[in-house]
């Protein structure tokens, strides 16, 4: 599913650029892909660092600190679920989620 979202989002982004209009909801795609990528990068860095990365005091640019900070990125500026909803509704044309309690 993520592959389909990426493809569709890239197409929408390129169309927006071609028509010289603001990217709008396409920025949700950029955020989603960027956050997912940076989280994977720091996840691999933690694997390479091994168990020692969890012990002792860590400086602020350590793999441990960068990994923890990357997890915050999926919350700051809108959660991943919110970004997926925006992409689904505005780019893919899916129906809105039902209102809570209805």
């Amino acid at each position: 599913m993520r592959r389909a979202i990426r493809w569709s989002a890239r197409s929408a982004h390129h169309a927006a650029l071609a028509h010289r209009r603001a990217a709008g909801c396409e920025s949700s795609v950029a955020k989603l892909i960027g956050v997912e990528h940076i989280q994977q990068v720091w996840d691999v860095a933690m694997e390479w660092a091994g168990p020692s990365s969890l012990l002792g005091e860590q400086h602020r640019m350590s793999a441990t600190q960068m990994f923890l900070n990357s997890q915050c990125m999926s919350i700051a500026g809108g959660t991943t679920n919110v970004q997926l909803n925006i992409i689904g509704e505005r780019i893919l044309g899916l129906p809105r989620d039902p209102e809570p309690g209805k």
Side-chain angles (χ1 to χ4, degrees), residues 4-99:
I5 291 172
R6 283 188 192 119
W7 180 85
S8 180
R10 283 186 192 133
S11 297
H13 181 70
H14 289 298
L17 291 175
H19 293 89
R20 298 199 185 277
R21 60 182 170 85
C25 57
E26 288 85 358
S27 63
S28 293
V29 174
K31 180 182 186 305
L32 185 68
I33 293 171
V35 166
E36 187 175 299
H37 171 74
I38 200 69
Q39 286 176 341
Q40 289 174 355
V41 166
W42 288 111
D43 187 43
V44 169
M46 289 292 289
E47 287 180 27
W48 288 350
S52 64
S53 63
L54 302 174
L55 303 173
E57 198 168 319
Q58 305 288 327
H59 60 87
R60 68 182 193 124
M61 295 302 286
S62 69
T64 305
Q65 294 299 318
M66 298 303 286
F67 170 79
L68 293 172
N69 187 50
S70 73
Q71 300 306 304
C72 298
M73 294 176 69
S74 59
I75 298 170
T79 66
T80 298
N81 288 340
V82 171
Q83 300 304 324
L84 288 171
N85 278 344
I86 291 170
I87 293 166
E89 292 170 6
R90 297 184 187 167
I91 296 176
L92 300 177
L94 299 174
R96 292 182 61 109
D97 285 340
E99 294 291 326

